[in-house]
Amino acid sequence: MKILMYSVRDDEQDAIQAWATAHKIQVDTNDLEFHPETAGLVKGYDGLVIQQRSPIGGDASLYQDLAAAGLKQLTSRTAGVDTIDIPAAKAAGLVVTNVPAYSPNSVAEMSVAQTMRLIRNLELFDQRIGQQNFQWAGLQAREIRSLTVGIIGAGRIGGTAARLFHGLGARVIAYDVVRHPELEDVLSYVDTKEELLRQADVVDLHVDLNETSAGLIDAAALKLMKSDAYIINASRGPVIVTEALVAALKAGEIAGCALDTVEGENTLFNQDHQGEVLQDTNVAQLMQMPNVIITPHVGFYTNLAVKNMVDISLDDVLTILNGGTTEHAF
């Protein structure tokens, strides 16, 4: 049995080698994304694992070719699977799996950390100190126990964030199409997104990217928020309409934001653009705003999460190749 993993980073290699040794299975890696022009590399392998932010591309014949080559599955070692044409893959007889909960704490903790930075004005103090201005006037902080945190998408990650915010003393409300009774000791559900936006001092987004969540936070949604409220996005970039966010920040409709993901990040994140003029004018504008924090989609990037992404994805491949089933299949 041989498994090929695409888009492998150096920091994943130890976990991959440990899994391969423990299971006595050959696992080979490359640093390429999986696209029609690189798909031929999987020939001769039994299992396939990918990780990428851009769509695979091609048409249904690509998935048919994978099945014809003997593959039984296509595994993403991330939660998001919007890069895969799942109906085409299933039609070809491939089992598509993901890693929906590699570490809910990793992303949830990122949201809490960014919220604390914003309400304590830490990014603004960093800027002042960088200019040798040690004054604190005008930057009075807000205690988290005085705030209402509104979570949109109270699933694995959002639910974990709710428990963390509740533990810090915040009032937590949530909007989700699926309500989880086990969370009602730490949050209260509201009936509509609009109700949450009107009440929350911090709006924390934890939704999957799909037809209903793309553009979820648009100009109309932002106008419903309090003028002293913040928005945190550690989910997926297209959930917020970036142009509308820029306009809302310029107009003072909200107090600021922390973005771990943005629209069109494929051409920016995990790349070095020092000395270049950014082609994404919306992101360029956001970077110039003192009340905006941008990180390059690293909410997931912790020691435990990376190991879990590797282990769970490879465990699923092995299970499927051995004729078993996994709860992570679509």
Side-chain angles (χ1 to χ4, degrees), residues 17 37 103 119 150 199 227 232-233 236 245 292 307:
Q17 293 307 313
E37 59 271 20
S103 178
I119 68 172
Q199 290 190 40
S227 60
I232 314 293
N233 188 13
R236 301 302 296 275
L245 177 62
V292 173
K307 184 178 187 304

Side-chain angles (χ1 to χ4, degrees), residues 9-186:
R9 304 181 309 272
D10 289 345
D11 57 82
E12 297 177 290
Q13 290 289 358
D14 286 347
I16 291 170
Q17 293 307 313
W19 187 94
T21 299
H23 292 83
K24 296 181 174 60
I25 292 174
Q26 179 179 335
V27 181
D28 295 328
T29 66
N30 62 49
D31 60 358
L32 304 171
E33 285 203 340
F34 183 77
H35 296 298
E37 59 271 20
T38 61
L41 296 175
V42 79
K43 184 178 181 180
Y45 286 90
D46 305 290
L48 170 61
V49 180
I50 69 171
Q51 178 184 23
Q52 58 194 69
R53 292 175 179 163
S54 60
I56 287 175
D59 54 31
S61 64
L62 172 64
Y63 300 93
Q64 296 287 348
D65 290 343
L66 292 176
L71 288 172
K72 297 179 180 179
Q73 51 67 232
L74 172 55
T75 291
S76 171
R77 59 186 186 278
T78 61
V81 290
D82 51 291
T83 61
I84 302 171
D85 186 339
I86 295 178
K90 294 176 70 173
L94 300 173
V95 178
V96 177
T97 69
N98 72 337
V99 183
Y102 40 83
S103 178
N105 285 75
S106 63
V107 180
E109 288 177 8
M110 182 74 164
S111 291
V112 173
Q114 298 293 52
T115 296
M116 296 298 285
R117 281 188 59 79
L118 287 169
I119 68 172
R120 298 303 302 237
N121 297 310
L122 296 182
E123 79 286 2
L124 300 179
F125 277 116
D126 284 346
Q127 293 166 28
R128 284 191 182 183
I129 298 302
Q131 299 167 357
Q132 299 187 55
N133 178 358
F134 298 91
Q135 294 179 310
W136 42 262
L139 296 182
Q140 185 182 75
R142 300 162 74 181
E143 293 188 27
I144 198 164
R145 61 179 175 164
S146 70
L147 304 179
T148 295
V149 175
I151 295 176
I152 300 181
R156 294 181 181 89
I157 297 173
T160 301
R163 293 197 177 281
L164 292 174
F165 280 118
H166 178 267
L168 291 169
R171 170 180 176 248
V172 183
I173 59 176
Y175 170 70
D176 200 321
V177 294
V178 178
R179 297 194 175 193
H180 301 277
E182 67 274 16
L183 291 176
E184 292 183 4
D185 61 326
V186 297

